[in-house]
Amino acid sequence: MPAPHYGQPRYRVIAAELRRRIESGVIPPGALLPAESVLTVEFRASRGTIRQAIAVLRETALVVTEHGRGTYASPHPLGSRATTGARPETGLREVAADPELAALFAVEVGTALVEQQSIDRTNGVVEAVVRTYRLLRPND
Amino acid sequence: MPAPHYGQPRYRVIAAELRRRIESGVIPPGALLPAESVLTVEFRASRGTIRQAIAVLRETALVVTEHGRGTYASPHPLGSRATTGARPETGLREVAADPELAALFAVEVGTALVEQQSIDRTNGVVEAVVRTYRLLRPND
DNA sequence: AGAAATTTGTCCGTATGTATC
DNA sequence: AGATACATACGGACAAATTTC
């Protein structure tokens, strides 16, 4: 059985399902996701596909994966966090929507948004800084 | 030939080579890149590896890929203006580095950076807005 | 108008290297 | 050392968009 993919690509369907589990609390914040091998069995997908699905979630900072450990659901505390004083290079922040973001999210200017900043390094050199903005309360 | 990847991964080496050709004008702005099948022959790499290399260039918006057509070298304006007036939801912009970005990239505050904005939608609903910042001149 | 060829998109299975626990 | 997990790479297959004949 080759790889028919009517409508949405398989990895996006899987990503959507995983996201649903995280946002619905089936996979609580901070918890470890099932291993790739487990997911391949459950979704009957290849490793690459599973990894691609997880990559989608990682883009929106919904999960964090640590080399040699696994992939965690991001704790989205948003109100707790007491940092060490020095601002962490990567992390969550609450910011006010600028006019452009407000228009995109269909909210009023100044509405609080969650900003997740992550840094892409290669050999220690900063290649890119990625800032992802989301609503505190998704309108799903 | 298995898949050893000492030092730089092959897809990054290939990406660097393609970037050189684009920036040096061997592949002029707006021109079509060779098809993936052609690149597999030239670089003696699998299609997956070629696609991974192109994905790297796509991240920096150095190329644009269209289904069924091919991958184009971005007509890289970045200094030639000519925007449509209405800001496109997704696209490139040149912005000044705020203090935090300046620190990360090790440049002075106000230095020009490239901002790539993309939008993650599901069923038309804006799920997240991603802004990626990079240096104009990557320090390979 | 329609069929074929081209090209990118997605997926599968497998194998090996590297990093962490 | 051993187990686990991610990163890279290969080859093959079908799907979908576009172009060409």
Side-chain angles (χ1 to χ4, degrees), chain A residues 87-100:
Chain A
R87 156 149 50 221
E89 293 188 338
T90 148
L92 288 170
R93 234 182 312 184
E94 224 174 284
V95 301
D98 64 36
E100 189 176 0

Side-chain angles (χ1 to χ4, degrees), chain B residues 3 5 9-11 44-47 49 67-69:
Chain B
H5 55 96
R10 298 197 57 193
Y11 74 89
R44 294 169 176 275
S46 72
R47 197 178 153 217
T49 301
H67 194 164
R69 296 189 54 129

Side-chain angles (χ1 to χ4, degrees), chain A residues 34-55:
Chain A
E36 284 186 351
S37 57
V38 176
L39 294 176
T40 58
V41 173
E42 176 179 339
F43 289 106
R44 295 171 174 276
S46 74
R47 251 179 82 199
T49 302
I50 295 297
R51 287 179 50 70
Q52 220 170 341
I54 291 175

Side-chain angles (χ1 to χ4, degrees), chain B residues 7-39:
Chain B
Q8 283 281 83
R10 298 197 57 193
Y11 74 89
R12 287 203 175 271
V13 174
I14 295 172
E17 169 59 21
L18 289 176
R19 174 160 56 192
R20 226 177 331 268
R21 292 185 193 177
I22 293 172
E23 290 181 343
S24 70
V26 175
I27 299 177
L32 263 178
L33 268 68
E36 293 173 355
S37 57
V38 175
L39 295 176

Side-chain angles (χ1 to χ4, degrees), chain A residues 1-74:
Chain A
M1 32 307 166
H5 58 93
Y6 307 105
Q8 285 279 60
R10 206 151 148 62
Y11 75 89
R12 286 204 174 272
V13 173
I14 295 173
E17 169 61 17
L18 290 176
R19 172 159 58 191
R20 190 192 62 75
R21 292 185 193 177
I22 293 171
E23 292 180 338
S24 69
V26 174
I27 300 176
L32 208 50
L33 268 66
E36 284 186 351
S37 57
V38 176
L39 294 176
T40 58
V41 173
E42 176 179 339
F43 289 106
R44 295 171 174 276
S46 74
R47 251 179 82 199
T49 302
I50 295 297
R51 287 179 50 70
Q52 220 170 341
I54 291 175
V56 170
L57 303 182
R58 196 157 33 214
E59 258 180 28
T60 42
L62 201 67
V63 300
V64 175
T65 132
E66 290 181 29
H67 202 152
R69 297 198 49 176
T71 299
Y72 298 88
S74 292

